[in-house]
């Protein structure tokens, strides 16, 4: 298999470039090491002369169309509609897929935990102290209008994203000290001493903007004018709220680079948008789009009995998922006084009967999520190791005793849907927290009733919420659901204007700077952050910083497990469920490589249209 020829080649060069960078910045000169890739702990799978990634088919044909519905999105993207093509800011609802139009300095290898290899940058030099990275840019790099992509564009992009980008981009960049243009094809990025080892990786994969394009435009504004990009795709036809198409750039400047071979095979990637799940599924059955990731177990188990699925024109594919399965659950907003007490949060969790739901609603398709790092080596298990205890002991006085016991796991119910023992435990916790019964209603010391609202943007979880809310009612808690349109939903999340909200987040196998946006106290009040629960805990802050600053992967793993124990003991969420696979349904017109990337589905990047099968099905692709 290509790309597995031995250890990574590294070459040291003279100090001339280091002197140039130091002179420009006023820093002492330091030797730099030239590398073709980066990883947090220096472990690169692919050598300098690799020809392509192992998870592609270098002979994959180009052409055809992939039409699908959004199954993942990020930043300000909205899966059901859009009013902007700027997906890099907080304002507006951006189109899913808008990142496809941009190139970056480097790109991720999807079969390694965090490694990145050169795209716009052919190589990077790193100072001995790790605080300066000098990127060598390929002179052939071009934007879609033919203009050159150079160091000025890179510097403009990084400084603009730090100043005006979405908080999930801008906040991690706070430890990026400065960016210097050394030459048209060389740019230096300087970091503060507080920068974590994953920040340079995050910087390397940020989208590169055209300085010339944006100088005459307001980057912070929503816009339906297609931005100028340089990537494998450009924005094609679109109709806000209905669909958007991304057209392959046939003469893309990077198409023959090792990091691009065998990828970007579809001539058009089209996202269809539906506001209602049933409507979307019926459209798929009718062949109005050709691929979907199925997220509903009952649909997967019972509704693929339509003619095209029965006769094989539609295939069901289960793709193994070896990445961390993420944190899916109902997050409790502790900015609300009603959720400030951890005993109250734990009691709410006891009312959710996963075992009943899994059997009666999910066809036993799922496992209960016990950890924020489930399905990974970062998940805490059993008793704390001596190494974990060394990190936890300084915080013992402020931590729950449960942190030092066997790692917390959600209770297992009797599967009846109304486990009396668990509800009794919940009732006792609520009483200990100062809540009392007044008839059928739970009230606080001032006589105010315990009432909470679940915020949702579609009705997909109604069948799960109904029994959950019924059990809450048995505890004296009035629980209702507020259904809002997707735009309002995203706005209320950005402003933390909710009681309880369901969300799923997936994390990298290597903890990175972005995690501060989930758990660090600095993100608890920052609009647009992912700290939905409002966690502001000094122990969490310290352990998170320890994990991000770890010198080795083993040290990071220990710190992550300690952090996991503290987070789980806080009952910030009611954990839901996961499965270590992805359900894909597709009309039988696609080809795919023999090897799937370990940490990604690989569909957009590596699949292609099989013309023979498409013709046989009468699909003009």
């Amino acid at each position: 298999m290509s790309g597995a020829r031995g250890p990574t080649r590294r070459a040291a060069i003279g100090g001339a470039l280091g002197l140039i960078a130091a002179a420009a910045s006023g820093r002492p000169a330091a030797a730099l090491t030239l590398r073709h890739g980066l990883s947090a702990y220096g472990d690169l799978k692919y050598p300098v002369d690799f020809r392509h990634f192992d998870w592609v088919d270098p002979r994959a044909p180009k052409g055809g169309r992939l039409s699908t519905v959004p199954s993942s999105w990020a930043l300000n993207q909205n899966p059901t509609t859009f009013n902007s093509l700027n997906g890099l800011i907080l304002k507006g609802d951006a189109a899913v897929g808008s990142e496809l139009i941009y190139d970056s300095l480097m790109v991720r290898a999807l079969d390694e935990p965090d490694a990145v290899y050169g795209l716009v940058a052919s190589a990077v030099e790193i100072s001995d102290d790790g605080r300066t990275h000098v990127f060598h840019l390929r002179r052939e790099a071009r934007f879609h209008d033919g203009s050159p992509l150079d160091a000025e564009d890179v510097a403009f992009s990084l400084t603009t994203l730090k100043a005006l980008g979405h908080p999930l981009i801008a906040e991690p960049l706070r430890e990026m000290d400065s960016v210097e243009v050394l030459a048209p094809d060389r740019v230096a990025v300087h970091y503060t001493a507080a920068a974590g080892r994953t920040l340079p990786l995050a910087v390397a994969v940020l989208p590169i903007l055209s300085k010339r394009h944006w100088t005459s435009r307001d980057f912070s504004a929503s816009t339906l004018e297609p931005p100028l990009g340089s990537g494998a795709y450009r924005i094609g036809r679109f109709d806000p709220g209905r669909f958007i198409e991304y057209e392959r750039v046939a003469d893309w400047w990077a198409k023959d680079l090792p990091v691009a071979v065998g990828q970007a095979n579809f001539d058009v990637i089209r996202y269809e948008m539906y506001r209602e799940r049933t409507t979307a599924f019926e459209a798929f059955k009718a062949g109005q789009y050709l691929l979907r990731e199925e997220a509903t177990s009952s649909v997967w188990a019972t509704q693929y009995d339509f003619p095209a699925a029965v006769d094989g024109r539609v295939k069901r594919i289960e793709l193994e998922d070896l990445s961390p399965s993420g944190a899916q659950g109902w997050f409790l907003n502790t900015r609300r006084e009603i959720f400030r007490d951890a005993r109250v949060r734990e009691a709410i969790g006891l009312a959710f009967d996963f075992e009943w739901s899994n059997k009666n609603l999910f066809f036993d398709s799922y496992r209960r999520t016990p950890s924020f790092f489930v399905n990974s080596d970062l998940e805490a298990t059993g008793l704390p190791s001596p190494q974990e205890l060394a990190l936890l002991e300084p915080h013992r006085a402020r931590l729950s005793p449960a942190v030092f016991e066997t790692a917390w796991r959600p209770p297992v119910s009797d599967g009846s849907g109304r486990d009396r023992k668990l509800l009794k435990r919940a009732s006792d916790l609520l009483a200990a927290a100062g809540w009392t019964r007044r008839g059928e209603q739970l009230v606080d010391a001032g006589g105010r009733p315990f009432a909470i609202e679940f915020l949702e943007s579609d009705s997909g979880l109604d069948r799960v919420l109904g029994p959950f809310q019924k059990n809450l009612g048995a505890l004296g808690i009035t629980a209702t659901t507020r259904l809002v349109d997707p735009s309002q939903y995203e706005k209320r999340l950005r402003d933390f204007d909710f009681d309880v909200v369901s969300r799923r987040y997936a994390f990298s196998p290597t903890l990175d700077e972005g995690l501060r946006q989930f758990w660090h106290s600095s993100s608890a009040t920052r609009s647009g952050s992912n700290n939905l629960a409002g966690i502001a805990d000094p122990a969490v802050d310290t352990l998170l910083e320890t994990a991000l600053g770890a010198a080795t992967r083993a040290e990071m793993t220990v710190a992550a497990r300690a952090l996991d124990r503290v987070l789980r003991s806080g009952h910030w969420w009611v954990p839901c469920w996961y499965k270590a696979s992805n359900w894909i349904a597709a009309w039988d017109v696609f080809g795919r490589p023999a090897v799937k990337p370990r940490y990604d589905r690989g569909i957009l990047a590596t699949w292609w249209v099989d013309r023979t099968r498409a013709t046989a099905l009468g699909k003009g692709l």
Side-chain angles (χ1 to χ4, degrees):
M1 299 173 70
S2 66
R5 302 190 188 95
T8 302
R9 302 180 185 180
R10 297 178 181 173
I13 65 170
L17 185 57
L19 289 169
I20 294 172
S25 64
R27 297 179 176 83
L32 289 93
T33 300
L34 184 67
R35 303 179 184 180
H36 69 292
L38 296 172
S39 73
Y41 300 103
D43 43 351
L44 295 176
K45 171 183 176 180
Y46 293 94
V48 68
D49 59 349
F50 80 101
R51 296 183 179 180
H52 58 78
F53 292 127
D54 290 345
W55 36 270
V56 306
D57 185 337
R59 298 160 298 182
K62 307 291 186 185
R65 300 164 61 87
L66 170 66
S67 53
T68 185
V69 289
S71 59
S72 60
W73 51 94
L75 303 178
N76 65 338
Q77 294 177 356
N78 189 321
T80 62
T81 187
F82 65 94
N83 55 29
S84 178
L85 299 176
N86 186 351
L88 301 172
I89 59 174
L90 182 61
K91 187 176 181 180
D93 294 300
V96 171
S98 54
E99 70 281 356
L100 292 170
I101 71 171
Y102 296 109
D103 281 328
S104 51
L105 290 166
M106 298 181 141
V107 294
R108 296 195 185 278
L110 301 179
D111 55 347
E112 298 181 76
D114 55 38
V116 295
Y117 297 87
L119 178 60
V120 170
S122 60
V124 59
E125 294 172 286
I126 307 173
S127 63
D128 288 343
D129 62 6
R131 291 177 58 187
T132 295
H133 285 59
V134 178
F135 291 94
H136 290 229
L137 309 185
R138 302 183 196 270
R139 295 185 178 181
E140 64 269 30
R142 292 287 184 274
F143 288 102
H144 293 153
D145 65 354
S147 60
L149 187 165
D150 60 23
E152 291 284 352
D153 297 299
V154 175
F156 170 81
S157 301
L158 296 180
T159 54
T160 298
L161 290 171
K162 180 178 180 178
L164 301 174
H166 191 286
L168 298 182
I169 297 176
E171 177 58 24
L173 292 180
R174 73 180 189 272
E175 302 302 341
M176 184 185 74
D177 187 30
S178 61
V179 186
E180 295 180 79
V181 174
L182 305 179
D185 61 350
R186 290 201 308 278
V187 62
V189 183
H190 301 294
Y191 301 98
T192 71
R197 65 178 57 248
T198 60
L199 180 55
L201 307 182
V203 167
V205 299
L206 286 173
I208 299 175
L209 311 169
S210 166
K211 179 179 180 179
R212 181 172 58 85
H213 174 85
W214 283 108
T215 297
S216 60
R217 295 167 174 85
D218 180 3
F219 180 76
S220 64
S222 297
T223 179
L224 286 174
E225 177 191 11
L228 180 61
S230 60
Y233 288 89
R234 59 164 55 95
I235 294 172
R237 299 189 308 141
F238 61 87
D239 185 349
R242 293 188 57 211
F243 74 89
I244 185 168
E245 294 183 346
Y246 297 92
E247 300 173 348
R248 185 171 63 87
V249 179
D251 60 349
W252 180 39
W253 69 270
K255 61 184 176 62
D256 297 321
L257 293 180
V259 294
V261 168
Q263 301 179 65
N265 301 318
F266 299 109
D267 277 350
V268 173
I269 295 175
R270 177 181 170 115
Y271 287 103
E272 303 282 358
M273 296 179 181
Y274 300 90
R275 291 182 178 266
E276 204 277 323
R277 293 186 183 189
T278 301
T279 303
F281 184 58
E282 291 301 318
F284 173 73
K285 289 163 59 176
Q288 293 178 21
Y289 63 96
L290 300 177
L291 183 145
R292 63 184 274 114
E293 180 174 349
E294 187 55 68
T296 305
S297 57
S298 61
V299 174
W300 186 255
T302 67
Q303 295 187 33
Y304 280 84
D305 56 357
F306 54 93
V310 172
D311 64 26
R313 287 175 292 156
V314 166
K315 300 292 186 183
R316 292 199 296 167
I317 304 163
E318 192 158 353
L319 298 178
E320 185 180 29
D321 184 1
L322 297 176
S323 61
S325 291
Q328 178 176 339
W330 288 284
F331 290 83
L332 309 175
N333 186 0
T334 60
R335 302 169 191 85
R336 305 280 208 249
E337 181 66 32
I338 204 169
F339 296 123
R340 294 283 173 81
D341 194 314
R343 293 169 296 185
V344 169
R345 302 195 296 270
E346 183 179 2
I348 290 172
L350 290 169
F352 174 53
D353 192 329
F354 167 76
E355 283 67 33
W356 182 89
S357 298
N358 198 33
K359 179 180 179 180
N360 293 279
L361 303 177
F362 304 148
F363 298 84
D364 287 323
S365 298
Y366 298 116
R367 304 175 192 173
R368 186 78 190 269
T369 299
S371 160
F372 288 87
F373 302 121
V374 68
N375 200 39
S376 80
D377 291 339
L378 307 181
E379 178 183 350
T381 58
L383 293 170
S385 68
Q387 295 86 353
E388 290 173 65
L389 285 173
L391 298 178
L392 294 168
E393 282 293 349
H395 308 285
R396 182 182 280 273
R398 67 169 64 96
L399 293 176
S400 164
V403 171
F404 299 90
E405 301 168 358
T406 299
W408 178 87
R409 298 182 67 87
V412 177
S413 78
D414 61 12
S416 66
R418 191 167 180 169
D419 188 313
R420 294 183 180 274
K421 290 183 179 179
L422 295 185
L423 292 178
K424 175 63 165 61
R425 276 178 55 191
S427 183
D428 290 345
L429 285 167
L430 291 166
W435 293 88
T436 58
R437 294 295 289 253
R438 180 181 293 172
E440 298 299 314
Q441 181 69 57
L442 207 61
V443 298
D444 65 10
R448 289 167 295 196
F450 197 139
I452 59 176
E453 180 182 88
F454 289 73
L455 181 69
E456 296 292 342
S457 62
D458 67 50
S459 58
L461 284 177
D462 282 358
R463 63 198 181 108
V464 186
L465 279 175
F468 183 14
Q469 292 173 339
K470 185 176 181 180
N471 280 345
L472 290 172
L475 294 173
I477 299 172
T478 300
T480 58
T481 300
R482 174 65 61 89
L483 191 65
V484 298
D485 67 72
S487 295
Q488 185 180 358
Y489 179 81
E490 294 298 332
K491 183 180 186 305
R492 289 184 62 171
L493 256 62
R494 289 196 293 265
D495 297 338
F496 308 123
D497 182 17
F498 60 86
D499 293 339
V500 187
V501 68
S502 62
R503 206 69 164 175
R504 178 180 184 267
Y505 295 108
F507 304 118
S508 166
T510 301
L511 301 190
D512 59 36
E513 308 288 325
L515 288 186
R516 291 193 183 94
Q517 290 292 307
F518 289 88
W519 303 316
H520 198 279
S521 57
S522 63
S523 65
T525 58
R526 183 177 297 111
S527 177
S529 86
N530 284 323
N531 193 344
L532 298 179
I535 299 171
D537 186 320
V540 170
D541 291 350
T542 300
L543 291 170
L544 179 55
E545 295 301 333
T546 300
L548 295 178
T552 66
R553 190 172 295 279
E555 290 178 7
M556 179 203 70
T557 300
V558 169
R561 291 173 179 172
L563 173 64
D564 191 33
R565 291 179 188 278
V566 174
L567 288 171
R568 287 155 72 172
S569 73
H571 303 286
W572 305 102
W573 63 331
V574 179
C576 287
W577 49 83
Y578 78 99
K579 58 182 175 64
S581 63
N582 298 292
W583 292 327
I584 308 297
W587 285 78
D588 190 22
V589 298
F590 300 109
R592 53 189 172 121
V595 176
K596 171 192 167 294
R598 178 181 178 89
Y599 297 116
D600 196 84
R601 299 165 183 81
I603 297 171
L604 292 184
T606 69
W607 287 26
W608 63 86
V609 169
D610 184 310
R611 291 287 186 182
T612 301
R613 279 186 276 174
T615 300
L617 286 185
K619 298 293 183 183
L621 300 177

